[in-house]
Amino acid sequence: MLTAEHLLTLQSVANPVLSPSETEAVFTRTLIDKEDNKYYSHLFHLHIESGEITQWTFGKERISSPKWSPDGTKIAFLSNRDEKKQLYILHSRGGEAKKVTDLANGVSSFLWSPCGEKIWLTASVKQGKAVTDKAEKEENKFPQAYVVNGMKYKMDGLGGAGLRAQDQFTQIAVLTIADEKLEQFTTGDFHHGLAGISRDGNEIVMSVNRAENLDYEFRTPLYIVDTKTKEEKVLVEAEGYYGDVSYSYDNRYIAYVGSDTSYKNATHNNVYVYDRRTGLTQQLTEMLNAPVGDLAVADVQQGVDAPGVVWTETNALYFQLSTMGDVRLYYADLEGSIFPASPEGEHIYSYDVARSGNWAIAAISNPVFPGELFFLDITSGERRQLTNFNEEFMREVPLSVPEPIVYQTTIGDVHGWIMKPISYEKGKKYPLIVEVHGGPHTMYANTFFHEMQLLASQGYGVLYVNPRGSHGYSQEFVDGVRGDYGGGDYEDIMAGVDYALKTYDWIDESRLGVTGGSYGGFMTNWIVGHTNRFKAAVTQRSISNWISFSGVSDIGYYFNDWQHLVDIKSVDKLWDFSPLKYAENVETPLLILHSEKDFRCPIEQAEQLYITLKSLGKEVGFVRFPDNDHNLSRTGTPNLRIERLSQIIGWFNKYI
């Protein structure tokens, strides 16, 4: 039977990268070391024709961003084996990996120059210092004051107090491999991103926003930069976020992925193609009405870094598309043809495509399959499984098969899934747990979800749906939640409960539970303040008070405006949206789970809710998780992820 501890045995296979000869590939495999209580990822080699797999690195480290040299003789990657992420180069025919950088703040990203003799990289550099400067020895060990400068002064996921290094800026540099000489390319107190490089190496595409005040700047301008003269030409300067740049093989076209701000952070990502000859830009995916990229929420895949687009030699390209609960591989050409290149019912979370466009290597998951690498013959639709890291788990652990459901609400069709308990017997009644995803602009998908399977293994049915606000069903659908939190989205979820009760006679209507995290935590709080239908609830990394959220969250000061369409001056409106306002109505036993270092939904949101409910004499519990951020359920400290699952199961077992 599946347990919480199985999370520690599942292995995440991702990031396949084809060699220039296309006869071999490298990829990463991430697992959890139980004794060290840490994640380690290693580099593996795949011989495509024979299927032979060889592990190339073994250390206690996390490897990321593997990239072949243009001649296929070397692989460069980032590793934290010496604490900071540094750049390493490994010969493809054997030997030890060589560390080729020793930068004070490590390496953020890199790209091979097409000549194979240089590597472009980005690194964080202290104001007034150069990339080549060594780390300074800290002589003063006393705590130092942090003088806040600007409104974007903290960010979830940074660790520590979540404070941004305001005196550090990301610069681009060039490393000459032969002598390991590093030369800084950019200057100025701005954050520079390395978005792409031309096939001849004469241009890079750089992202940089040089506005003096970035508080209300929500854009990433892209510039084409001559690598010799440093002359810049604007590629895109519109409002919005753009990146994942890739040059076509003939060097004529530049593809990139991004979105404008028409619907703020609910806007679909699209693929754009710039013609360097005519200077015109084409929005290639305009007619799809679905977001480019992987918007699926899951809890197994680790360290995934999928390309935004991959060109073929015929000037067609491939990309991921999140649509109807799937993440599929899509094909498009410059004449307007566009169609899916992979089937429904699965989650393609990593991939690389051969130059011909006829085949690909992809990492694929589905609701009863954690994920492995496959060879995909795109022309015939045939596939061959290449890795079997989770074979033992698949062989030994029974799983529940989610059943897709569709039901009607005021916005139209709403899509979701329902799972029977693993121990299901016809004629018996079972409790049902409703799961609500975060975002709200993500989506539940046809992917493996350990938490859902755990609930099913404990004798619970599970209902999870994509209410309005979820990605994958149209721009109108994802925008439908903005300005209406607790309105149509609440209706969609409760209509799903009604549909399940009407359709499945095995559900015990008197034994319902609900849980969710982030936006799903907000919705859990909202639900228990507006209905007593649930016997128990668990709210995670939640929001209870949008007024205080505005000042304490790393995104709070603009998120209210984007999502509720009002700012902090509209206190009455924000209070109407706040679950805390309805605390007196709560009769459902509620467990509050929250990470101490969550700066996206800070723990004061949980504290307010707990103290309020406790003072009202409500049945409430509170569990705090130290040294973890907003992503506890996905990438948090392994033992605390297990504890979190145990707390959820324990609460439901106690009250349901």
Side-chain angles (χ1 to χ4, degrees):
M1 191 65 69
L2 185 139
T3 65
E5 286 70 21
H6 275 110
L7 188 64
L8 306 177
T9 67
L10 289 165
Q11 301 180 47
S12 177
V13 187
N15 307 321
V17 184
L18 290 169
S19 69
S21 68
E22 299 184 345
T23 60
E24 52 190 334
V26 290
F27 63 92
T28 60
R29 187 277 314 270
T30 304
L31 46 70
I32 294 173
D33 186 295
K34 301 175 190 177
E35 292 185 3
D36 291 348
N37 202 28
K38 290 182 178 180
Y39 302 86
Y40 294 133
S41 57
H42 301 111
L43 187 69
F44 283 73
H45 175 267
L46 166 69
H47 188 274
I48 292 171
E49 185 175 347
S50 69
E52 182 182 357
I53 293 172
T54 307
Q55 185 170 345
W56 273 4
T57 64
F58 297 85
K60 292 187 174 184
E61 61 185 324
R62 293 203 73 167
I63 281 177
S64 59
S65 305
K67 294 179 177 67
W68 292 86
S69 63
D71 63 3
T73 62
K74 293 179 280 291
I75 296 94
F77 58 86
L78 300 179
S79 171
N80 66 349
R81 63 180 63 174
D82 288 335
E83 193 172 335
K84 299 283 187 182
K85 276 201 304 187
Q86 303 290 353
L87 182 65
Y88 290 76
I89 294 179
L90 176 67
H91 200 284
S92 62
R93 292 296 171 260
E96 289 286 334
K98 181 181 182 183
K99 185 169 76 169
V100 293
T101 63
D102 189 18
L103 305 187
N105 296 302
V107 176
S108 305
S109 67
F110 73 94
L111 292 171
W112 280 95
S113 172
C115 67
E117 298 174 356
K118 298 179 179 180
I119 291 179
W120 292 79
L121 59 83
T122 60
S124 180
V125 181
K126 197 168 184 177
Q127 190 175 27
K129 298 293 182 179
V131 171
T132 52
D133 292 343
K134 298 295 183 182
E136 296 177 347
K137 186 178 180 180
E138 294 186 16
E139 295 182 2
N140 189 347
K141 295 181 181 180
F142 295 127
Q144 302 296 302
Y146 179 90
V147 180
V148 172
N149 180 18
M151 298 171 79
K152 297 177 183 175
Y153 68 89
K154 65 179 180 178
M155 187 172 72
D156 187 70
L158 288 181
L163 300 174
R164 292 175 182 266
Q166 295 180 116
D167 62 345
Q168 292 183 7
F169 301 91
T170 307
Q171 304 291 354
I172 298 174
V174 190
L175 175 74
T176 304
I177 296 171
D179 57 9
E180 297 180 17
K181 181 181 178 182
L182 193 62
E183 180 181 352
Q184 189 165 319
F185 184 77
T186 55
T187 57
D189 295 341
F190 310 103
H191 290 288
H192 303 82
L194 184 59
I197 189 167
S198 63
R199 300 283 175 172
D200 57 14
N202 293 331
E203 296 174 352
I204 63 168
V205 176
M206 173 182 73
S207 65
V208 61
N209 188 329
R210 296 189 175 103
E212 184 176 345
N213 186 342
L214 297 176
D215 288 346
Y216 288 96
E217 287 285 320
F218 303 106
R219 61 192 181 99
T220 51
L222 295 178
Y223 298 92
I224 302 169
V225 186
D226 187 294
T227 56
K228 294 179 181 177
T229 67
K230 298 189 179 181
E231 181 181 352
E232 297 179 8
K233 178 181 178 180
V234 173
L235 176 59
V236 56
E237 204 168 23
E239 291 292 312
Y241 295 97
Y242 302 89
D244 290 313
V245 171
S246 181
Y247 280 72
S248 61
Y249 279 95
D250 63 8
N251 227 34
R252 174 174 172 177
Y253 301 100
I254 301 174
Y256 57 94
V257 177
S259 65
D260 60 30
T261 56
S262 301
Y263 302 90
K264 301 301 182 184
N265 61 324
T267 312
H268 282 169
N269 277 335
N270 280 283
V271 173
Y272 299 84
V273 176
Y274 171 74
D275 188 333
R276 296 171 71 236
R277 187 177 301 171
T278 66
L280 300 176
T281 298
Q282 176 183 2
Q283 186 175 322
L284 207 62
T285 53
E286 185 175 10
M287 302 304 294
L288 284 177
N289 202 12
V292 171
D294 183 354
L295 280 303
V297 58
D299 60 359
V300 170
Q301 288 92 29
Q302 297 287 336
V304 176
D305 184 21
V309 294
V310 175
W311 283 97
T312 72
E313 289 179 329
T314 59
N315 281 344
L317 37 76
Y318 286 87
F319 51 90
Q320 294 163 299
L321 191 79
S322 294
T323 174
M324 303 296 289
D326 296 323
V327 180
R328 304 177 69 179
L329 195 62
Y330 259 68
Y331 164 96
D333 62 31
L334 303 182
E335 284 69 51
S337 296
I338 190 164
F339 51 81
S342 68
E344 297 176 340
E346 62 187 22
H347 176 199
I348 291 186
Y349 60 91
S350 279
Y351 73 101
D352 198 5
V353 182
R355 287 193 299 271
S356 66
N358 295 331
W359 59 274
I361 303 291
I364 305 175
S365 174
N366 66 44
V368 290
F369 187 72
E372 300 283 0
L373 287 189
F374 287 80
F375 178 94
L376 307 183
D377 188 319
I378 296 173
T379 56
S380 70
E382 295 180 3
R383 60 177 61 189
R384 169 168 52 99
Q385 186 170 334
L386 298 170
T387 63
N388 293 281
F389 289 99
N390 293 299
E391 181 179 15
E392 184 178 348
F393 171 85
M394 291 296 298
R395 185 174 60 247
E396 296 181 355
V397 180
L399 300 172
S400 177
V401 180
E403 177 185 336
I405 61 171
V406 179
Y407 56 95
Q408 286 278 316
T409 73
T410 54
I411 201 169
D413 287 348
V414 175
H415 178 216
W417 294 262
I418 192 161
M419 298 168 64
K420 291 179 180 176
I422 297 291
S423 58
Y424 172 80
E425 294 180 24
K426 191 173 182 179
K428 288 189 175 182
K429 292 280 191 178
Y430 297 91
L432 180 75
I433 306 299
V434 178
E435 288 262 7
V436 187
H437 68 62
H441 308 310
T442 56
M443 71 175 190
Y444 282 133
N446 282 306
T447 191
F448 188 83
F449 217 121
H450 172 265
E451 181 176 329
M452 310 295 195
Q453 292 290 346
L454 177 62
L455 288 167
S457 76
Q458 294 292 314
Y460 295 98
V462 185
L463 173 69
Y464 53 109
V465 304
N466 284 326
R468 68 191 72 187
S470 303
H471 265 306
Y473 300 93
S474 79
Q475 183 64 80
E476 179 187 13
F477 192 89
V478 73
D479 189 52
V481 74
R482 294 174 65 231
D484 190 36
Y485 273 45
D489 49 354
Y490 171 68
E491 173 194 333
D492 292 346
I493 294 166
M494 298 310 295
V497 176
D498 292 337
Y499 173 87
L501 292 172
K502 180 181 178 181
T503 309
Y504 302 96
D505 59 8
W506 53 265
I507 300 174
D508 185 343
E509 185 174 3
S510 68
R511 301 171 68 200
L512 302 178
V514 61
T515 186
S518 195
Y519 163 82
F522 154 81
M523 183 51 68
T524 300
N525 296 341
W526 185 269
I527 285 171
V528 298
H530 287 78
T531 180
N532 294 327
R533 293 180 68 180
F534 295 91
K535 294 279 287 183
V538 181
T539 185
Q540 307 169 55
R541 58 189 186 280
S542 73
I543 298 148
S544 65
N545 183 347
W546 290 108
I547 300 170
S548 63
F549 177 86
S550 180
V552 296
S553 168
D554 61 347
I555 62 173
Y557 74 92
Y558 57 85
F559 189 85
N560 279 334
D561 182 37
W562 287 6
Q563 289 294 303
H564 301 309
L565 311 184
V566 295
D567 60 23
I568 193 61
K569 294 189 292 293
S570 302
V571 173
D572 290 343
K573 186 71 170 177
L574 291 175
W575 186 238
D576 288 342
F577 282 129
S578 298
L580 199 63
K581 177 180 178 178
Y582 312 98
E584 203 164 9
N585 302 336
V586 175
E587 299 298 334
T588 306
L590 179 67
L591 176 64
I592 303 169
L593 306 180
H594 219 107
S595 294
E596 298 274 4
K597 294 185 176 179
D598 186 337
F599 301 112
R600 183 61 38 86
C601 299
I603 198 167
E604 65 89 32
Q605 294 284 308
E607 292 168 337
Q608 289 189 64
L609 184 61
Y610 174 72
I611 292 298
T612 300
L613 292 175
K614 199 73 173 173
S615 67
L616 292 170
K618 307 296 184 179
E619 191 68 32
V620 60
F622 187 17
V623 181
R624 304 168 68 110
F625 296 88
D627 299 321
N628 273 257
D629 58 29
H630 195 62
N631 291 299
L632 169 66
S633 66
R634 300 177 286 267
T635 60
T637 307
N639 76 299
L640 294 181
R641 291 181 68 187
I642 301 302
E643 177 63 20
R644 167 188 165 271
L645 292 169
S646 298
Q647 290 286 343
I648 294 171
I649 296 298
W651 191 262
F652 285 141
N653 286 348
K654 180 178 180 180
Y655 289 100
I656 296 181

